[in-house]
Amino acid sequence: MAKIREGEILLNLIRFFSFLILFTPLLVSAKFFFPFVGPKSLYFFAISEIIFFLWLILIFVDRSYRPKINLLLVSLIIYLFIFVLASIFGVNFSYSFWSKYERMTGILMHLHLFLFFLVLSSTFKEEDFKKIFGFSVFVAILASWIALANLKNPTMRGGGTIGNESFLGTYLLFNVFFALYLVYKTKDLAKILSLVSFSILVLSLLLIGVNLENLSFSQVLSAIFFSQGARAAKLSFYGGLVLLFFFWLIASQRKILKILGSICLISSLIFAAFVFYSLLTQPEGFFRKMIEREVGTFGGRFPVWEGAWHGFLERPWLGWGPENFEFSYIKHYNPCMPTSECGGEIWFDRAHNIIFDTLISTGILGMISYLLVFAAIFYILWKNFVKQKTDFFAPGIFTSLFIAYFVQNLTVFDMVSSFMVFFLSLAFVASFEKEFGKREIRKLNPAYLVFVLILFLVSFYEFVILPTLTDGYVILAIREKVGTPERLKYFQRALSTSPLGKFQIRQFFAENEMANLDFKNLNDDVKKEIDFLIEELKKSIKESPLDFRSFLRLGELYNVYAFFDPSKLKEGEEVLRKAIEISPKNQQGYWSLAQNLIYQGRIDEAIFLAQKAVDLEPKFKNSHLILIRVLKIAQKEDLAKQKFEEAIKINPEWEEDLNKVLESS
């Protein structure tokens, strides 16, 4: 009996922490570098490690909770193997493993997600999943209410504690289907609560990011149903319900309905594939124009996808490595990106499309392994339905959910909150293959317990404690005034405590340093900070030779260093020329190099570079501003006026801003 009690205690602890992990989407803290990402990810790491190491003890005590090999488990292992292999042969393994605080979705996150999946699929039964789905729905309702209550808070971007309306939409999409499943799989009061929860979540999904002020009735309907806030999740939800209806027809007992459902399903899939192909290949085509008119533009996604395709063709088999999208993006940078026609965003570290993101990250092999996961899902669900081990609702609802999720990820990407519910759903599907046989209880070995405890402490310290400390040091550093000993001390601690996000932290510190410099009070303490950051950025470009942003920030620091030692400008010139070599169509490299050459007194070369930036994309106002400013410095007033006239012919709305530069002394 004592042995059985040990197993029950461990199992109950796993259940408790599995419910606790569902609070992940609600966590946000201004004490973190990225307040909407860091707290959630580190919390998820912590809880998933706790349940995994509890499970390691449990499966020693009771072998019945060991995992059963099934197609989904095997496909996930293959996917993770390709994921790691692509990282090893990718551009930057450190990026792939640790990721950065803004995303935290590298190997480390995927390993924790897999552990989460492994434990739940091995220990949870159908009733356990009903309870955890119910609790997830409850947390999702809280998250949606917080988002709606803080709609006008610009820092939350319509997503409440999740921090982005698109990410919230993905998270709610899963929970809407969880609630729908519970409607059909529960009874009495639980069914009523599930139906109420489903209604609340559907309404919440429709209202994400929707501002109803000063809208007509027709505009209100348009905003709620598809034109504002989490549009991909909304449209995918509608499609998921339609698919569910088609699956219901196919699963019915009447032959005519089966045929009708099959025809509708196949026709819908062919039509969807045609529309997607048209969107990608026909910029002036009917479907893209219609969607842009009714829903809005896709921002810079189309030029980003075009560049991603070229990047994929360079490294087709294993890609550039997970978390390395930005290296491909920068190499194939489209100079139109800063313009309104291309969305106005310069930096992209995701393609915002699951197909292109996967192809760039892990190549064809990664794409095949990813699709294999979905194939395993559908096979397990419908195999159990055909064998009458489950009714229609599990395969029907969850197949619709996974397809809707995949479709909405054609314009969005995953973060920890959506990854968590995705892997929770995977665990549910895998549990269909788990049969709990006779319990095999044995006494816990103290040596094994000590071994597991040591592993847990090492892992928890390395992957939770140290990254949390690093995150805190970043915040402490930027709160200190430039040129104080404490600031440099926190710089050093942030970059020596944990490797997580080190490249991004170095770049961020450099940006923060330049943004807060007081050029009237440059002293030795400021010089020490800049010296430190220069050496750190040198490490970045040594470890990651294609890291354009690190080259750019290093070159800009050398430009600042001219106020201490002008001889360093030559080193800065070399660095910035390398940056241009990495991304020859990116205007930022030309601007910074032009500034460097001005400091060196090489004005004509600076003018040439500023003009080159204009020529790359004449519709970008900033390039014209910089060119006119350089011409003013060179005292070429007539040429500056000529460039002013040329610029306002391109866009008359620029006149006021350009005129301020032209008339400045």
Side-chain angles (χ1 to χ4, degrees):
M1 290 297 293
K3 296 176 185 177
I4 294 177
R5 279 200 302 271
E6 287 178 358
E8 290 299 326
I9 290 171
L10 290 167
L11 188 59
N12 286 330
L13 284 172
I14 289 171
R15 287 170 177 160
F16 171 75
F17 282 107
S18 296
F19 278 77
L20 207 59
I21 207 171
L22 297 178
F23 283 114
T24 296
L26 300 182
L27 298 182
V28 59
S29 173
K31 295 180 180 179
F32 284 76
F33 185 16
F34 285 90
F36 294 99
V37 182
K40 293 180 178 62
S41 300
L42 293 169
Y43 176 80
F44 182 82
F45 287 175
I47 304 300
S48 60
E49 288 188 15
I50 290 172
I51 65 172
F52 174 69
F53 285 103
L54 285 170
W55 177 74
L56 286 182
I57 300 171
L58 174 64
I59 60 176
F60 186 92
V61 173
D62 190 343
R63 294 186 180 185
S64 66
Y65 290 107
R66 293 183 179 184
K68 180 183 177 181
I69 300 299
N70 60 74
L71 186 59
L72 182 51
L73 175 60
V74 171
S75 65
L76 276 175
I77 291 172
I78 293 172
Y79 172 72
L80 283 174
F81 174 75
I82 299 297
F83 199 87
V84 173
L85 196 64
S87 301
I88 293 171
F89 290 100
V91 173
N92 187 323
F93 180 79
S94 181
Y95 258 120
S96 296
F97 183 85
W98 293 98
S99 187
K100 54 186 178 180
Y101 283 98
E102 187 178 4
R103 302 299 182 207
M104 296 186 73
T105 50
I107 292 176
L108 188 59
M109 173 61 79
H110 279 74
L111 288 175
H112 283 80
L113 288 164
F114 180 72
L115 300 183
F116 176 62
F117 159 84
L118 193 61
V119 175
L120 266 63
S121 62
S122 302
T123 58
F124 275 37
K125 301 176 182 178
E126 183 181 8
E127 288 304 312
D128 296 314
F129 277 106
K130 288 181 185 178
K131 292 174 183 177
I132 203 167
F133 286 156
F135 194 74
S136 179
V137 165
F138 166 71
V139 175
I141 290 173
L142 293 180
S144 62
W145 283 351
I146 293 171
L148 294 175
N150 291 273
L151 184 61
K152 295 184 179 180
N153 185 337
T155 61
M156 291 185 170
R157 300 172 63 189
T161 56
I162 293 180
N164 181 293
E165 61 184 30
S166 295
F167 299 154
L168 176 61
T170 309
Y171 171 68
L172 291 187
L173 179 66
F174 275 91
N175 282 282
V176 167
F177 278 91
F178 291 167
L180 183 60
Y181 175 73
L182 294 175
V183 168
Y184 290 103
K185 299 297 287 186
T186 53
K187 298 178 181 179
D188 303 324
L189 180 60
K191 180 183 285 287
I192 295 172
L193 290 175
S194 299
L195 184 59
V196 171
S197 298
F198 173 76
S199 303
I200 291 173
L201 286 175
V202 169
L203 182 61
S204 299
L205 178 62
L206 296 179
L207 291 175
I208 290 176
V210 175
N211 186 350
L212 301 179
E213 293 180 358
N214 302 318
L215 297 181
S216 65
F217 179 72
S218 61
Q219 290 173 325
V220 167
L221 292 179
S222 172
I224 290 174
F225 286 106
F226 61 85
S227 69
Q228 288 186 23
R231 294 170 295 184
K234 291 178 182 179
L235 296 174
S236 297
F237 169 64
Y238 307 145
L241 292 182
V242 172
L243 280 175
L244 180 58
F245 176 66
F246 291 163
F247 290 134
W248 178 79
L249 291 176
I250 294 170
S252 69
Q253 299 298 316
R254 298 181 63 182
K255 186 176 180 180
I256 185 65
L257 294 181
K258 286 179 180 290
I259 295 173
L260 178 62
S262 300
I263 293 173
C264 290
L265 179 62
I266 294 171
S267 301
S268 299
L269 293 176
I270 293 173
F271 179 72
F274 174 73
V275 171
F276 182 65
Y277 176 78
S278 175
L279 289 173
L280 290 179
T281 60
Q282 300 177 26
E284 300 300 320
F286 169 76
F287 292 109
R288 189 186 294 193
K289 289 296 183 183
M290 181 187 69
I291 290 176
E292 288 180 346
R293 183 180 67 251
E294 298 296 334
V295 179
T297 67
F298 284 84
R301 284 174 173 78
F302 287 118
V304 169
W305 295 348
E306 183 181 355
W309 178 251
H310 292 301
F312 159 67
L313 293 177
E314 278 189 58
R315 304 173 69 102
W317 295 108
L318 287 170
W320 295 65
E323 301 299 291
N324 289 338
F325 177 84
E326 64 185 83
F327 299 118
S328 168
Y329 166 74
I330 282 296
K331 184 173 183 180
H332 300 282
Y333 182 81
N334 190 323
C336 87
M337 292 306 300
T339 67
S340 59
E341 289 86 347
C342 291
E345 294 183 49
I346 294 178
W347 301 108
F348 274 79
D349 63 358
R350 292 290 189 279
H352 295 258
N353 178 287
I354 188 60
I355 295 175
F356 287 120
D357 274 321
T358 305
L359 288 174
I360 286 292
S361 297
T362 54
I364 292 175
L365 295 179
M367 190 74 239
I368 293 172
S369 67
Y370 183 72
L371 294 176
L372 181 61
V373 171
F374 284 85
I377 292 168
F378 303 148
Y379 172 77
I380 291 173
L381 287 172
W382 291 101
K383 180 192 75 172
N384 280 273
F385 173 71
V386 170
K387 292 184 176 181
Q388 298 183 342
K389 292 183 178 180
T390 183
D391 57 24
F392 164 77
F393 298 109
I397 290 173
F398 279 85
T399 299
S400 302
L401 167 59
F402 282 114
I403 293 175
Y405 162 72
F406 183 89
V407 169
Q408 70 99 46
N409 264 3
L410 294 175
T411 59
V412 190
F413 57 91
D414 282 299
M415 295 291 281
V416 62
S417 297
S418 58
F419 266 137
M420 179 187 69
V421 286
F422 174 57
F423 275 78
L424 171 60
S425 304
L426 293 182
F428 170 69
V429 174
S431 71
F432 279 77
E433 301 291 273
K434 174 72 175 179
E435 294 180 2
F436 292 90
K438 184 179 178 181
R439 303 189 69 177
E440 303 177 40
I441 309 296
R442 61 174 172 169
K443 187 176 181 181
L444 181 61
N445 188 321
Y448 178 78
L449 179 61
V450 171
F451 173 71
V452 170
L453 183 60
I454 291 172
L455 279 181
F456 168 70
L457 292 174
V458 171
S459 177
F460 199 85
Y461 180 72
E462 186 69 28
F463 301 133
V464 179
I465 300 297
L466 292 183
T468 302
L469 290 174
T470 295
D471 206 327
Y473 291 141
V474 172
I475 299 300
L476 291 172
I478 63 176
R479 287 177 178 174
E480 294 291 337
K481 189 177 179 182
V482 173
T484 59
E486 290 78 11
R487 182 177 170 90
L488 180 57
K489 178 183 68 176
Y490 289 131
F491 277 178
Q492 293 167 337
R493 288 184 178 177
L495 289 166
S496 62
T497 303
S498 171
L500 201 160
K502 62 183 178 181
F503 297 96
Q504 185 183 37
I505 292 172
R506 288 165 179 160
Q507 296 160 7
F508 174 72
F509 280 163
E511 293 167 7
N512 185 265
E513 188 78 6
M514 290 181 288
N516 292 283
L517 274 178
D518 181 359
F519 287 91
K520 296 179 181 179
N521 294 295
L522 297 178
N523 52 41
D524 287 340
D525 288 327
V526 175
K527 183 175 178 295
K528 287 179 182 177
E529 286 181 16
I530 296 177
D531 283 334
F532 173 77
L533 293 174
I534 285 175
E535 292 305 313
E536 289 297 316
L537 286 169
K538 283 182 178 179
K539 293 178 185 177
S540 287
I541 62 177
K542 183 178 180 180
E543 296 172 48
S544 186
L546 297 180
D547 192 346
F548 170 81
R549 194 182 295 205
S550 290
F551 275 99
L552 185 65
R553 298 299 173 242
L554 179 57
E556 291 170 346
L557 279 180
Y558 273 126
N559 287 352
V560 173
Y561 208 90
F563 292 91
F564 297 105
D565 182 2
S567 67
K568 294 286 187 179
L569 286 169
K570 275 293 182 183
E571 293 182 50
E573 180 184 348
E574 292 176 11
V575 168
L576 290 168
R577 289 195 184 279
K578 179 62 178 176
I580 292 173
E581 182 182 326
I582 293 170
S583 187
K585 294 184 179 181
N586 194 309
Q587 296 94 336
Q588 296 174 92
Y590 295 95
W591 298 341
S592 296
L593 183 55
Q595 184 182 35
N596 179 284
L597 295 176
I598 288 172
Y599 289 157
Q600 292 188 54
R602 296 155 62 183
I603 303 297
D604 288 340
E605 293 177 69
I607 293 172
F608 173 79
L609 289 168
Q611 181 64 57
K612 176 68 174 177
V614 171
D615 294 339
L616 285 171
E617 178 48 80
K619 294 179 181 178
F620 187 23
K621 179 178 68 175
N622 285 14
S623 293
H624 293 279
L625 290 169
I626 290 171
L627 175 59
I628 294 171
R629 189 173 290 117
V630 171
L631 290 170
K632 290 282 293 183
I633 292 172
Q635 298 182 343
K636 299 189 179 221
E637 298 289 343
D638 291 340
L639 187 54
K641 291 178 182 178
Q642 178 186 329
K643 295 300 178 183
F644 168 81
E645 295 295 335
E646 292 175 2
I648 60 174
K649 285 181 181 178
I650 296 171
N651 191 335
E653 295 179 0
W654 296 346
E655 183 173 2
E656 182 178 352
D657 292 334
L658 293 171
N659 202 45
K660 289 178 183 177
V661 176
L662 187 65
E663 295 180 353
S664 62
S665 56

